[in-house]
Amino acid sequence: MTKYQAVGIGNAVVDVISQCDDRFLTRMGIDKGVMQLVEQERGEYLYEQMETPRQMPGGSVANTIAGLGAMGLKTGFIGRVHDDVLGRFYAAAMGKDGTDFVNAPVPNGELPTSRSMIFVSPDGERSMNTYLGISAELGPEDVDDEVAGAAELLFLEGYLFDKPKGKEAFQAAARACRARGGKAGISLSDPFCVDRHRDDFRTLVQELDFVLGNEHEWRSLYETEDLGAALEQAAADSGLVVCTRSGHDVVIVQGDETVTVPVDAVTPLDSTGAGDQFAAGFLYGLATGQPLAVSGRMGCIAAAEVIGHYGARPEADVKAMFAAEGLI
C-alpha cells in the first residue's frame, strides 16, 4: 500500500485559458472574476470563442495537490475523467507533475471530461466558465479506502457538495483518512458554493481537522459582514482555521492562538490558482511540522509565484523559494 503525505479529492477539470478584454466579457455575458457553472452547449460555444487557448490540468484541489507534489511530497489525487482525449491528457499530465492520479479514465463514461474556459483580463482577473461533465459524477465507488486511509493529510474540495454523490465520496474519504490517524480538511471553494450548502459546511467545520477559506467565504458561512465575528465563530467550531484576504494579511486561528501573516503586494499577471497554491504552501508547512506562522508564509510565497505567470500551477521551484527565505 502506497503511503501518501497528502491526498486530494475533487473535480478533475482541464483548464483552457485565453486572454480577453472587458468588452469581450460583456459581449459574451460572462460575470467577471467569478466561477460560473455552464452547460455543455454553452461550454462548447465559449471554447470556440477563445483565441490561442492554453490547455492544462486543473481543478482547485487538484492544483493544490500538484503543487505539493512539485514540492517533493508523495501525493495522490482522487477524481473522475472520461477515457477521451482530454481525460487521458489529464491523467498523464498529473502523473508527469509528480502526483498519482489514482482512478483510471472511465471507458464509455456517461459524460465528457470536465473543462473550464478561463478568460484572463488585462488586470489579471480570471473569469471561469466550468462545464463539470463527468467529474460531477464522482461517487463513493471512486474512493479507494486504501488510498484515502493511507493519507497523512486529506484535502477536500467544497465544490463536490454540489452533487449528492460527490458529498458521499467526500464523507467516505474523510472517514477512511481519520480512522487511521490522518487529518482531513476542506477548502470552502467559493462563496456561492457556501451559500448553496451552508448547513452542511457548518457541520463539516466542526467535524474536520482544518478549514481553509477566503474572507468572502467565511462571511458567507456565518452570514455576517463582520469578518472578526465570523472567524471567532469558526475558531470555536474547528481545530484550525485559515482565512486569506486578497492583498491583505492572512489570519490563522488554532485554539487560543491567532497568527497574522503579512502579505507582500504583488501585481498579478493571472490570479488563477492563487488560493490553490496558497493552500499548497500552507499544507506543505503543516505536513512537515512547521509553526503556523511559517506555514502561512509558505502559502504566501507559493501564491505569489503562481500569480506571476499564466496558469494555476507553479513554474518555479517553490521549495527553493522557501529555502531562500530561510524557512527550510
Side-chain angles (χ1 to χ4, degrees), residues 19-202:
Q19 295 173 264
C20 74
D21 57 25
D22 288 351
R23 289 176 297 177
F24 174 88
L25 296 177
T26 301
R27 192 167 70 250
M28 291 293 108
I30 296 170
D31 288 341
K32 183 176 178 177
V34 300
M35 193 284 288
Q36 292 179 291
L37 296 178
V38 299
E39 298 299 325
Q40 185 173 358
E41 183 177 351
R42 169 75 168 164
E44 290 173 350
Y45 172 74
L46 290 177
Y47 181 81
E48 291 170 358
Q49 307 307 309
M50 303 184 95
E51 294 185 12
T52 59
R54 295 176 59 197
Q55 181 176 293
M56 58 195 68
S60 176
V61 164
N63 290 336
T64 297
I65 295 298
L68 285 165
M71 293 174 201
L73 298 192
K74 179 63 178 174
T75 54
F77 181 69
I78 298 169
R80 188 175 178 88
V81 297
H82 191 144
D83 188 13
D84 55 16
V85 172
L86 284 182
R88 291 189 291 273
F89 161 79
Y90 190 97
M94 287 292 285
K96 183 179 178 183
D97 288 342
T99 292
D100 291 344
F101 189 74
V102 298
N103 294 14
V106 180
N108 305 314
E110 60 275 27
L111 293 168
T113 294
S114 309
R115 72 285 312 265
S116 181
M117 278 59 66
I118 303 173
F119 296 93
V120 182
S121 40
D123 58 2
E125 281 286 355
R126 81 275 192 260
S127 306
M128 305 169 67
N129 301 265
T130 303
Y131 167 59
L132 285 179
I134 196 172
S135 69
E137 299 303 312
L138 183 79
E141 68 277 9
D142 296 304
V143 176
D144 185 339
D145 283 354
E146 292 302 309
V147 173
E152 295 175 17
L153 289 179
L154 181 72
F155 195 42
L156 309 162
E157 184 173 307
Y159 287 129
L160 286 181
F161 270 65
D162 277 325
K163 286 287 187 75
K165 286 175 66 176
K167 190 183 301 183
E168 291 171 22
F170 189 114
Q171 292 164 335
R175 281 194 300 267
C177 172
R178 301 186 84 206
R180 298 191 191 177
K183 292 183 177 181
I186 184 176
S187 162
L188 293 176
S189 293
D190 180 276
F192 300 109
C193 185
V194 173
D195 285 342
R196 291 191 293 270
H197 307 289
R198 182 173 290 108
D199 290 344
D200 284 332
F201 279 135
R202 282 189 178 177

Side-chain angles (χ1 to χ4, degrees), residues 220-252:
S220 173
L221 184 63
Y222 292 105
E223 298 180 280
T224 177
E225 287 303 307
D226 185 339
L227 180 61
L231 294 182
E232 184 177 348
Q233 182 61 54
D237 288 345
S238 180
L240 175 58
V241 169
V242 182
C243 176
T244 58
R245 302 181 298 155
S246 181
H248 300 283
D249 294 352
V250 175
V251 180
I252 305 170

Side-chain angles (χ1 to χ4, degrees), residues 268-296:
L269 180 63
D270 172 15
S271 60
T272 309
D276 304 339
Q277 294 311 317
F278 172 86
F282 179 80
L283 293 178
Y284 179 86
L286 200 62
T288 57
Q290 301 293 339
L292 295 180
V294 173
S295 298

